[in-house]
Amino acid sequence: MRDLVEAASLHSGGLAGPLRLGVIPTVAPYLLPGLLKEIARRHPGSELKVRETVTQTLLAELAQGSLDLVIAALPLLHPEIETLPVFSERFMLIAPPGTPAALPDDEVLARHPLLLLEEGHCFRDHALAACGLSVADEVDTLAASSLSTLVQMVAHGLGVTLIPEMAAQSEAQHDRVAVRSFAGPQRTRTVALALRTMPRSSARPRIRPING
């Protein structure tokens, strides 16, 4: 949260007045409460307006000037937008209770339908890529509109799903599902801050990587 506040401050050399922030749904519920509190504490003159929707809509509104900043997961491909990676987090596998921890990941996915977010959510593509799949047609899937719904579907025996680590801390802390990290190399996503690319003549500081 501190890194995001520091990066957002580069928007105009400090946060004061209206700031229109867009956030994707798989980040907003888990990051925004603490982030908004930190921004209010450090920048009491700011007037933050939050918009939560899918990545492509946020990028279009950012490029058009309807938003000032966007928090979303990479890759964020748009010719008028530059990005600043802020942090990475693991994907967690949410499976039915009693799923053996020693069972290989591919066997878990083969035994159960893979539950995904509906079309339009970038996390759907991230989950497929993490499972080594390229299109949803390759697996037996059911789609949902939120991570909470996905976890509840797993709890009722409808399949397995992937959720980001930050979501697992609040969505899957009960005995109706098993939370597992992937065996071997971890699957991750990187969350970044995006803003409009400014002309070289602009006085706004160029964004720079955050150490650590």
Side-chain angles (χ1 to χ4, degrees), residues 143-204:
S145 60
S146 73
L147 297 179
S148 296
T149 301
L150 289 178
V151 174
Q152 289 302 314
M153 291 166 73
V154 174
H156 285 81
L158 297 177
V160 298
T161 193
L162 273 66
I163 65 175
E165 189 171 9
M166 69 167 72
Q169 297 172 12
S170 58
E171 300 290 359
Q173 294 304 309
H174 52 75
D175 58 8
R176 291 180 294 161
V177 297
V179 182
R180 292 177 44 181
S181 58
F182 280 90
Q186 296 299 299
R187 283 75 156 178
T188 64
R189 72 169 179 176
T190 298
V191 175
L193 190 71
L195 64 165
R196 290 184 298 281
T197 302
M198 300 295 287
R200 293 188 178 277
S201 59
S202 171
R204 191 192 75 190

Side-chain angles (χ1 to χ4, degrees), residues 108-177:
V108 175
L109 294 170
R111 292 186 182 190
H112 303 279
L114 177 61
L115 309 177
L116 300 169
L117 292 178
E118 61 189 0
E119 293 283 354
H121 289 269
C122 63
F123 192 78
R124 176 187 179 92
D125 298 327
H126 295 161
L128 286 168
C131 296
L133 303 170
S134 57
V135 294
D137 292 340
E138 295 181 30
V139 290
D140 182 13
T141 65
L142 295 172
S145 60
S146 73
L147 297 179
S148 296
T149 301
L150 289 178
V151 174
Q152 289 302 314
M153 291 166 73
V154 174
H156 285 81
L158 297 177
V160 298
T161 193
L162 273 66
I163 65 175
E165 189 171 9
M166 69 167 72
Q169 297 172 12
S170 58
E171 300 290 359
Q173 294 304 309
H174 52 75
D175 58 8
R176 291 180 294 161
V177 297

Side-chain angles (χ1 to χ4, degrees), residues 43-71:
H43 302 278
S46 63
E47 301 172 20
L48 196 61
K49 303 180 184 298
V50 176
R51 165 108 159 108
E52 179 185 342
T53 189
V54 296
T55 300
Q56 291 307 312
T57 300
L58 292 178
L59 293 184
E61 294 179 1
L62 179 61
Q64 294 164 4
S66 301
L67 294 173
D68 299 309
L69 299 166
V70 163
I71 299 173

Side-chain angles (χ1 to χ4, degrees), residues 28-40:
Y30 318 107
L31 184 65
L32 278 184
L35 180 62
L36 299 184
K37 183 177 180 180
E38 181 72 5
I39 289 176

